[in-house]
C-alpha cells in the first residue's frame, strides 16, 4: 500500500508550532473582530440597499428609512418602483427650509404569508403623496416649511420594526423628521414600534388604519393602562366599528334574530382580538341569539407554506357548526385576507338549507376586494359581503354643493386625480406651475388613500405650527391635541378631531357593499359617536365633538 501523501505546507506548520499558533490566532481574530464587515464581503447579500436601509429577513428585503428611494426588494412590481420614483421627484423639488414626514409600513409583503398585498399598499403611498402635494403647492394646509416624504419599511410581518426605528433615530436630525404616519395593521410589532418612536424620538406617530382598541397602550406597562404619549390615529377603533356594525344590523328587515361571530383567536394580533371581543358583547340584544365560532389563523408562517390551505382546513371543520347556528348574518372578526378561505369553503361545501349567507366584516375586509375566492363567491349568489369601512369614496353622497365634509373630500379628490372639482367643475388652483397628480379614482375604493392622506395632513399641520421645530419635537404632540372643536382639520375621511387619548372623535363609519367585480358601494353611513359631524361649529354652538 503506498504511503499517505500529505500537504507539504501543513508539514511545515507542524514543524513550527509557534508559527501555527500565530496563524490560528490571526484567523480567529479576523473571525471575531471582522464581524459583519468581513461577513458582508465574503458573502455579499444579493440585494443592495440604499442609505438608511439594511438587507434583512427571509426572503431578503431592505428595512429602514428609504432616503434614496431605491427598491425594497429585488423583485418589486413596476407600480411600486414608479411610486418610489414619484417620492424622490417630489423631494428633489423641495428648496429651502423643510420638515419630513415618514410613511412607515410593511412595504415588502410576502405572498401567502402577510395578510396584505402590494395592491393594498399603493393607495397608502398615493394618499401620502397627495397630502404632500397639497401642502407644497396649494393653500389647503399653510405654506411653510416645505414638506418631504420618506418611505420606511418594517419588513414582512413587521418583523424588522426595531431596526426601522433605529434608522429613524439615526436619520431624524439630518432629514428633519418631525412625524411618522401609517404603521399599517394592528399587531404587537406595530404597537411596539409606536411605543419605541414615542420613547426614543418623542415625535408624533399617527396611525392611518390602526384600529385595534389596545394599540395606543404601552406594551411595556404591566398594568396595561399606560398610554403611548405621542400616538394618534385618524381611524375609528374596533369598538366603534362594531358599534357601527350593530347600528346597521339593527336596521335590517326582517330583524336579525340569529347572528354568528366567526372569531380569530390568534395571539399577538390586536385587530382580531379586540374586534372579536367587541363583537361578542355588542351584538347581544334582546330577541337575538349570538353564536361564537372560533378559529385560529397561523401567526408565523415561512414563505410558501400555504396560509390559505391552513385556513380552509379549519373552516371546513367549522361548516357543520355554522349550519347548525343558521344565522341571519355572519360577522367575520378576522383578517380580510382570510375571508376568501371562509367564503370559498362555504360556497363549495355541502348545502345545509341556507340559500344565501350574509357576511358583515370589519374594516380589514378591504384587503379582500381583489380576492378571487370572495368575488367568485359573491358572483355565485351564495354570499353577500359588506364591511364597516374606515372611509369610502362615496360616503358623502353626490349632491352638490353638499355638506362641508363633502367639500373637503371633493378638494382631496381633485388633487388625487388631477381632475376638476366634481361639484364646481373648476380645476384645483396651485400656487405655482407644477404638474398635477393623476392617480386612478379606482384606487380610492379601499378608503386607505383617504386615511393615509388624513394622517399625513395631521402631521403636516402640526409640523407647520411648531415654531421651535426639531429643537423641541415633543411640542408637536401638544399641537395635535389642540385639533378639536373649532380647530378641527379638514380631512378626506371626515373632520379630524382628536380625543385626549389620541383617538378620533366624531368620525363616521360607512358600511360598504362589495360587488363581484371588486367595486364598492356605500349602503349606510353610521355615526358611532351618536350624531353627524359635518361642519365646523357655529359661534356658541355645539356642532362638533369637544365643544
Amino acid at each position: 500500500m503506498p504511503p499517505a501523501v500529505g500537504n507539504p505546507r501543513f508539514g511545515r506548520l507542524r514543524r513550527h508550532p509557534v508559527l501555527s499558533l500565530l496563524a490560528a490566532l490571526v484567523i480567529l481574530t479576523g473571525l471575531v473582530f471582522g464581524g459583519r464587515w468581513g461577513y458582508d464581503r465574503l458573502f455579499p447579500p444579493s440585494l443592495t440597499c440604499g442609505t438608511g436601509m439594511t438587507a434583512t429577513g427571509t426572503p431578503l428585503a431592505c428595512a429602514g428609512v428609504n432616503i434614496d428611494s431605491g427598491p425594497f426588494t429585488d423583485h418589486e412590481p413596476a407600480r411600486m418602483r414608479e411610486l418610489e420614483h414619484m417620492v424622490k421627484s417630489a423631494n428633489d423639488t423641495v428648496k429651502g427650509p423643510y420638515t419630513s414626514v415618514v410613511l412607515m409600513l410593511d412595504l415588502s409583503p410576502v405572498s401567502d404569508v402577510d395578510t396584505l398585498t402590494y395592491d393594498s399598499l399603493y393607495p397608502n403611498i398615493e394618499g401620502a403623496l397627495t397630502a404632500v402635494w397639497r401642502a407644497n403647492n396649494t393653500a389647503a394646509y399653510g405654506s411653510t416649511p416645505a414638506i418631504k416624504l420618506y418611505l420606511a419599511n418594517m419588513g414582512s410581518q413587521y418583523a424588522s420594526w426595531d431596526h426601522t426605528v433605529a434608522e429613524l433615530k439615526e436619520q431624524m436630525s439630518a432629514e428633519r423628521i418631525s412625524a411618522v404616519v401609517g404603521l399599517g395593521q394592528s399587531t404587537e410589532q406595530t404597537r411596539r414600534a409606536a411605543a419605541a418612536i414615542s420613547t426614543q424620538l418623542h415625535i408624533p406617530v399617527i396611525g392611518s388604519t390602526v384600529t385595534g382598541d389596545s394599540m395606543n397602550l404601552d406594551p411595556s406597562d404591566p398594568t396595561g393602562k399606560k398610554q403611548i404619549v405621542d400616538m394618534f390615529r385618524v381611524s375609528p377603533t374596533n369598538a366603534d366599528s362594531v358599534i357601527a356594525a350593530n347600528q346597521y344590523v339593527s336596521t335590517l328587515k326582517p330583524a336579525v334574530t340569529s347572528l354568528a361571530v366567526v372569531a380569530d383567536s390568534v395571539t399577538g394580533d390586536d385587530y382580531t382580538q379586540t374586534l372579536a371581543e367587541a363583537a361578542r358583547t355588542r351584538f347581544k340584544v334582546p330577541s337575538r341569539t349570538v353564536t361564537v365560532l372560533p378559529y385560529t389563523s397561523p401567526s408565523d408562517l415561512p414563505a410558501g407554506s400555504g396560509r390559505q390551505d391552513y385556513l380552509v382546513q379549519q373552516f371546513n371543520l367549522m361548516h357543520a357548526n355554522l349550519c347548525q347556528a343558521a344565522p341571519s348574518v355572519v360577522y367575520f372578526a378576522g383578517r380580510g385576507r382570510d375571508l376568501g378561505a371562509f367564503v370559498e369553503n362555504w360556497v363549495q361545501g355541502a348545502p345545509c338549507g341556507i340559500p344565501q349567507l350574509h357576511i358583515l366584516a370589519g374594516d380589514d375586509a378591504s384587503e379582500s376586494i381583489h380576492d378571487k375566492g370572495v368575488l367568485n363567491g359573491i358572483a355565485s349568489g351564495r354570499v353577500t359581503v359588506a364591511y364597516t369601512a374606515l372611509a369610502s369614496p362615496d360616503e358623502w353622497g353626490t349632491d352638490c354643493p353638499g355638506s362641508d365634509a363633502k367639500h373637503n373630500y371633493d378638494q382631496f379628490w381633485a388633487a388625487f386625480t388631477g381632475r376638476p372639482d366634481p361639484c364646481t367643475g373648476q380645476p384645483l388652483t396651485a400656487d405655482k406651475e407644477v404638474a398635477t397628480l393623476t392617480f386612478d379614482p379606482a384606487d380610492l375604493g379601499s378608503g386607505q388613500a383617504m386615511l393615509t392622506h388624513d394622517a399625513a395632513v395631521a402631521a403636516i399641520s402640526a409640523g407647520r405650527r411648531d415654531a421651535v421645530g426639531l429643537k423641541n419635537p415633543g411640542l408637536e404632540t401638544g399641537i395635535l391635541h389642540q385639533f378639536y372643536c373649532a380647530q378641527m382639520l379638514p380631512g378626506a375621511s371626515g373632520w379630524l378631531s382628536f380625543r385626549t387619548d389620541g383617538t378620533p372623535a366624531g368620525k363616521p363609519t360607512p358600511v360598504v357593499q362589495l360587488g363581484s367585480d371588486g367595486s364598492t358601494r356605500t349602503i349606510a353611513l353610521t355615526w358611532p359617536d351618536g350624531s353627524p359631524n359635518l361642519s365646523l361649529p357655529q359661534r356658541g354652538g355645539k356642532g362638533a365633538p369637544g365643544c
Side-chain angles (χ1 to χ4, degrees), residues 7 70 97 118 140 166 198 241 362 382 386 447 461 466 532 541:
N7 189 316
Y118 275 106
S198 176
S241 292
R382 293 289 308 282
S461 299
D466 180 6

Side-chain angles (χ1 to χ4, degrees), residues 258 291 293 318-327 346 352 354:
S258 175
T291 304
L293 301 173
M318 182 191 291
H319 188 84
N321 288 328
L322 183 58
C323 290
Q324 179 69 29
W346 175 259
C352 57
I354 304 175

Side-chain angles (χ1 to χ4, degrees), residues 169-499:
K169 189 174 183 179
E170 183 73 19
Q171 301 294 332
M172 180 176 167
S173 178
E175 299 302 329
R176 307 174 194 178
I177 297 170
S178 59
V180 173
V181 301
L183 285 188
Q185 297 173 316
S186 300
T187 68
E188 184 64 17
Q189 291 90 335
T190 52
R191 184 160 71 119
R192 291 186 180 279
I197 292 169
S198 176
T199 301
Q200 299 177 30
L201 278 66
H202 309 292
I203 60 175
V205 52
I206 308 173
S208 52
T209 58
V210 176
T211 61
D213 294 347
S214 306
M215 285 297 293
N216 63 340
L217 300 179
D218 192 333
S220 66
D221 177 32
T223 68
K225 296 180 180 179
K226 180 183 176 183
Q227 293 180 10
I228 300 174
V229 176
D230 301 292
M231 184 173 178
F232 297 80
R233 42 185 159 179
V234 297
S235 54
T237 63
N238 279 345
D240 284 340
S241 292
V242 175
I243 291 172
N246 189 50
Q247 288 177 356
Y248 170 70
V249 167
S250 298
T251 66
L252 297 178
K253 302 296 181 185
V256 175
T257 57
S258 175
L259 184 143
V261 178
V262 175
D264 189 351
S265 60
V266 67
T267 58
D269 189 334
D270 193 76
Y271 172 80
T272 58
Q273 285 181 323
T274 59
L275 193 69
E277 181 181 348
R280 288 186 184 98
T281 58
R282 294 286 185 179
F283 285 116
K284 288 184 177 179
V285 298
S287 71
R288 182 189 299 162
T289 301
V290 176
T291 304
V292 179
L293 301 173
Y295 75 99
T296 305
S297 66
S299 59
D300 187 16
L301 280 179
S305 55
R307 182 184 182 92
Q308 180 87 356
D309 293 339
Y310 184 99
L311 292 167
V312 165
Q313 183 71 11
Q314 290 194 59
F315 291 138
N316 183 266
L317 294 171
M318 182 191 291
H319 188 84
N321 288 328
L322 183 58
C323 290
Q324 179 69 29
S328 303
V329 171
V330 167
Y331 187 76
F332 189 80
R335 285 288 174 186
R337 287 286 290 168
D338 298 341
L339 185 57
F342 177 77
V343 170
E344 182 179 297
N345 185 272
W346 175 259
V347 171
Q348 298 176 7
C352 57
I354 304 175
Q356 189 178 57
L357 196 65
H358 300 289
I359 301 172
L360 182 61
D363 67 273
D364 200 61
S366 64
E367 294 286 344
S368 68
I369 62 177
H370 300 296
D371 190 305
K372 290 182 179 179
V374 174
L375 302 184
N376 289 341
I378 297 170
S380 74
R382 293 289 308 282
V383 298
T384 66
V385 176
Y387 61 95
T388 48
L390 302 179
S392 177
D394 63 342
E395 66 184 81
W396 305 115
T398 57
D399 291 342
C400 292
S403 64
D404 291 344
K406 183 181 186 305
H407 171 76
N408 295 337
Y409 173 77
D410 288 345
Q411 291 285 289
F412 157 78
W413 186 92
F416 186 88
T417 64
R419 305 179 187 181
D421 184 300
C423 266
T424 66
Q426 296 300 309
L428 191 65
T429 302
D431 294 338
K432 47 200 165 200
E433 292 294 327
V434 293
T436 60
L437 302 174
T438 57
F439 295 133
D440 189 341
D443 291 349
L444 298 171
S446 69
Q448 296 198 19
M450 299 164 64
L451 290 158
T452 307
H453 166 272
D454 289 357
V457 160
I460 290 166
S461 299
R464 285 184 163 175
R465 288 169 170 81
D466 180 6
V468 180
L470 293 178
K471 295 180 181 178
N472 184 15
L475 180 61
E476 290 190 21
T477 293
I479 293 172
L480 282 165
H481 279 302
Q482 303 308 311
F483 294 141
Y484 73 99
C485 192
Q487 193 59 54
M488 293 187 299
L489 295 171
S493 65
W495 290 94
L496 305 179
S497 178
F498 297 108
R499 299 187 180 102

Side-chain angles (χ1 to χ4, degrees), residues 120-183:
S120 66
L121 284 177
Y122 303 149
N124 289 274
I125 302 172
E126 292 169 353
L129 279 166
T130 303
V132 171
W133 188 92
R134 296 182 73 188
N136 287 337
N137 300 302
T138 76
Y141 302 105
S143 58
T144 56
I147 308 298
K148 286 188 177 183
L149 174 68
Y150 290 110
L151 305 181
N153 183 27
M154 290 184 278
S156 175
Q157 297 182 301
Y158 308 100
S160 300
W161 68 265
D162 50 349
H163 173 81
T164 305
V165 172
E167 287 292 348
L168 276 169
K169 189 174 183 179
E170 183 73 19
Q171 301 294 332
M172 180 176 167
S173 178
E175 299 302 329
R176 307 174 194 178
I177 297 170
S178 59
V180 173
V181 301
L183 285 188

